[in-house]
Each structure stands twice: as structure tokens, then as C-alpha cells.
Amino acid sequence: MGATKTHIFSIRHNELAQAAKVMAHPARIAILEFISKQDSCICTDLVDEIGLAQPTISQHLNEIKKIGLLKGTFEGKNLCYCIDQEKWLELQQFFNSFFSSINQNCC
Amino acid sequence: MGATKTHIFSIRHNELAQAAKVMAHPARIAILEFISKQDSCICTDLVDEIGLAQPTISQHLNEIKKIGLLKGTFEGKNLCYCIDQEKWLELQQFFNSFFSSINQNCC
DNA sequence: AAATGATATTGCAATATTACGATGATATAT
DNA sequence: ATATATCATCGTAATATTGCAATATCATTT
């Protein structure tokens, strides 16, 4: 017990949930917003900006990276993380079509 | 350790994250979708439809209720849960404006 | 080549989430 | 009134998430 029973749900439902999960933490919301405001983006800036320890920021970045929302250079010094525009728009549409599909009223 | 440091984030970031959290589980996505398709909605239908135990469905419904997404009759037999249209649209706009604000490209 | 600076990884503790059996509450039917 | 049906709550086990110190990695300086 305790683990989400992903196998009983559709792929679409699982994917939506997984995408939502990435945004289900204020740090990741703040990170996405901060990165979008910068010309180039380095993890240290984020550590200063957000106020969490560097490993924690790194972990959050990884969660965002996992679903393909970040692109850029990922190795070495002075990394440049950027939001993948294409993926971001795809996600926006994904959410929007879900929101739009829930529109009937019954009460 | 272990708990989200909500106090270091803005109210807006916390609210967005909290709303995302509600959708960050496939059962809750499925529940929202199922309810929107029904004329009236009873928890037992959901138990049959989703395939989780009744207390688990009840818990998930509660998470959705907490952010005000459900309205209807909540006591007695044959409950009628419905999605609050106003709140749902509000949430859709909230997400949409967040998605739209992340649109600059740096790489 | 050693030092430095920036990010990643590991390991672990604290807390949150998920799930369900048992039980409780409440409304309707018999 | 008793039985039944439906949903809520409690208690608890299993698992996931969050956060950080310590450490590792890796590119750039010196």
C-alpha cells in the first residue's frame, strides 16, 4: 500500500497527473518563472533567488528536466538551463484541453 | 526537514502549486473527468468506475473539495458532487496566465 | 598539476501522500 | 424499529517527497 496504482489509469490520465506533479511545488513554479525572466540561467542564481540549498534546487531542476521542460547545456561550469518552448506550449495545450473538456454542469 | 518550506514562497506560487497538486494524481484527474460526464454523481459509481476502495475515493474527493472545485449535496445518501464551474474557470485562467507568462526564450 | 567554482550525486532524516480495513453516521426501505 | 445502502472518518502500513550535509564530478584558472 501507499504507492499510486498507476496501472489502473489511462496513459493520458497518468501523463496529465505527472505533468501536474512537476508544478505541484512552489519551488518549481518559482524556478520556472525565474528562468523565464533570465537571459541565461545558472543554478547558483537560483539558490540565491529561491532560498533553498543547492542540492535541493538541483533536485527540483531534475524533476522539471525529467518531463523535458528544460533544454540547454547540462554539464560543466556555468550551465544554461532554458525552458523548452515547444514542450512548454505542448503542455499548455494539454492542460487547456483538459480544462476545456470539464465544462458541463449537472447541479 | 521533509516539509515544503511554504513560507519562503509567494502566495501566488503556493496557490498555483496547491492547485497543481490536486491534479497531480491520476485518480483525481479521472474523478474530475468522470463527474463532468455524469448528470448526477455518486461516490459508489466512482468506486466502480475508478477501481479504488471507497475510503480512498472519498479521500481524493476531499482533496478536490478542499480547493473549492466541488459543489452540491455532501451529506446523506446518494450524494451529488458537481464541479463548480466558476471555480473551474478561475483555475483554468490561473494556469493559463502562468503558462502564458513563461514564454521568453533565452537559448 | 593544484586550486577554485559550479553543479550533480549520495545518504539520510523528517514529513506527506496513498491506500485500505474497520468502523461510524445517516438516509431510505422493509 | 431493523436492515440496507451510501458515504465519512479513523487508524495504520507502505511508499513518495522534501530538504540538506557531505561528497563527488568536472571545467576553468592560476
Side-chain angles (χ1 to χ4, degrees):
Chain A
M1 268 174 263
T4 297
K5 291 185 156 181
T6 51
H7 60 284
I8 68 174
F9 302 107
S10 72
I11 293 176
R12 185 171 151 276
H13 287 174
N14 278 310
E15 282 180 352
L16 258 170
Q18 210 175 352
K21 205 178 261 187
V22 172
M23 298 195 293
H25 195 291
R28 293 193 288 267
I29 297 280
I31 286 170
L32 286 167
E33 205 158 87
F34 183 75
I35 289 180
S36 87
K37 280 194 210 130
Q38 302 305 112
D39 285 344
S40 71
C41 0
I42 294 151
C43 185
T44 305
D45 292 351
L46 284 170
V47 174
D48 298 342
E49 175 71 16
I50 309 282
L52 291 170
Q54 179 267 323
T56 308
I57 296 291
S58 190
Q59 260 182 146
H60 281 306
L61 279 169
N62 219 266
E63 295 296 314
I64 302 171
K65 216 194 299 177
K66 261 194 225 163
I67 58 161
L69 274 177
L70 291 179
K71 66 173 186 181
T73 316
F74 294 111
E75 302 146 78
K77 198 182 157 192
N78 287 11
L79 299 218
C80 179
Y81 284 116
C82 304
I83 291 158
D84 188 313
Q85 285 299 297
E86 217 171 315
K87 186 74 183 170
W88 187 253
L89 281 171
E90 187 189 313
L91 205 65
Q92 177 169 28
Q93 280 165 16
F94 195 20
F95 271 91
N96 216 50
S97 75
F98 173 66
F99 269 105
S100 297
S101 75
I102 311 282
N103 260 333
Q104 298 85 338
N105 216 343
C106 77
C107 300
Chain B
M1 269 175 266
T4 298
K5 290 183 157 185
T6 50
H7 59 285
I8 67 173
F9 302 106
S10 71
I11 292 176
R12 187 171 149 274
H13 288 174
N14 278 312
E15 282 180 350
L16 258 171
Q18 210 175 350
K21 203 178 265 187
V22 172
M23 298 195 291
H25 195 290
R28 291 191 291 265
I29 297 280
I31 287 171
L32 285 167
E33 205 158 87
F34 183 74
I35 289 181
S36 88
K37 280 192 211 132
Q38 302 307 111
D39 284 343
S40 72
C41 358
I42 294 149
C43 187
T44 303
D45 293 351
L46 283 171
V47 173
D48 298 342
E49 174 72 16
I50 309 282
L52 290 169
Q54 180 267 322
T56 310
I57 297 290
S58 191
Q59 256 183 148
H60 282 305
L61 279 169
N62 220 265
E63 295 298 312
I64 302 171
K65 215 193 302 179
K66 260 194 225 163
I67 58 160
L69 273 177
L70 292 180
K71 64 171 183 181
T73 317
F74 294 112
E75 300 147 78
K77 201 183 157 191
N78 289 11
L79 298 218
C80 179
Y81 284 118
C82 303
I83 291 157
D84 188 316
Q85 288 297 299
E86 216 173 314
K87 186 72 184 175
W88 187 253
L89 282 172
E90 187 190 311
L91 207 64
Q92 177 170 26
Q93 279 167 15
F94 195 21
F95 271 92
N96 215 50
S97 76
F98 173 66
F99 269 105
S100 298
S101 75
I102 311 285
N103 261 331
Q104 299 86 338
N105 213 343
C106 77
C107 298

